[in-house]
Amino acid sequence: MNKLRVLRYQIWAILWTIVILVLCNMKMPASNGGFFFEGFDKLVHLGFFFILTIFLLYGKINHQHNYSFRTLTIFKIILVTAALGAGIELLQWKVFTYRSAEWWDFACDMAGVFMGVFSYILLHKSNYNEKTD
C-alpha cells in the first residue's frame, strides 16, 4: 500500500507517459518529410520527454517536500526515461510497423530528458541555494 501512496505523487508523469505511448504509436497521415516541417517528429519527441522529465521531478519534489535530490535519483529518472524511449522505438520497429523506428528519435528523447535535468539543476542552484543576507 505504501508504494501506491508514493505513486500518487507521480500521477502527472504516469498520465503523460500514457499520452506519449498513444501518440508515438498512432498511425499518422502520410506526408512528405514531416507533419508541419522537416524534422517536426524529432521536435515532438524532444518536447514529450522534456515534459515527462519535468513531471517526474515535480512528483519527486512533492513527495519529499523539498527540492534536494541525490544524484542517484536523477540517474534513475534518466534510466526510466531511456527505457521508455527505447521501448517506444522497439514497439515502432516490431509491433507498429506503420511507424518508423529511428535512433534519432531516441536521441531526441534523451536530449529532452537532459534538457529537463539541466533546467532543474540550473533553477535549483540559482533559486534555492542562494545565500540570504
Side-chain angles (χ1 to χ4, degrees):
M1 187 66 173
N2 193 23
K3 295 282 185 188
L4 291 176
R5 288 179 188 237
V6 172
L7 278 180
R8 74 184 170 119
Y9 292 104
Q10 294 295 346
I11 191 68
W12 290 111
I14 293 167
L15 292 173
W16 189 247
T17 301
I18 293 167
V19 168
I20 291 172
L21 285 170
V22 168
L23 292 178
C24 284
N25 293 312
M26 263 177 43
K27 190 168 189 165
M28 299 302 287
S31 63
N32 296 341
F35 196 67
F36 291 110
F37 54 85
E38 186 74 31
F40 179 74
D41 177 50
K42 308 305 180 247
L43 188 62
V44 168
H45 277 268
L46 186 132
F48 279 167
F49 278 79
F50 174 78
I51 293 169
L52 177 61
T53 304
I54 297 302
F55 281 152
L56 287 167
L57 291 167
Y58 177 76
K60 185 66 176 172
I61 288 167
N62 283 337
H63 170 7
Q64 65 187 24
H65 303 296
N66 69 38
Y67 291 92
S68 295
F69 289 151
R70 297 182 315 185
T71 306
L72 181 61
T73 301
I74 292 174
F75 184 69
K76 285 178 186 178
I77 288 173
I78 292 169
L79 280 178
V80 165
T81 53
L84 177 65
I88 288 171
E89 295 309 311
L90 286 173
L91 282 172
Q92 288 179 348
W93 179 41
K94 291 292 187 181
V95 179
F96 303 105
T97 54
Y98 48 82
R99 297 294 304 251
S100 63
E102 299 178 17
W103 284 109
W104 284 112
D105 288 346
F106 178 73
C108 290
D109 296 343
M110 292 297 92
V113 170
F114 287 113
M115 284 173 53
V117 169
F118 177 75
S119 298
Y120 163 76
I121 292 170
L122 184 69
L123 292 172
H124 179 270
K125 294 293 181 189
S126 65
N127 290 334
Y128 302 106
N129 286 337
E130 291 181 352
K131 293 182 180 178
T132 56
D133 294 329

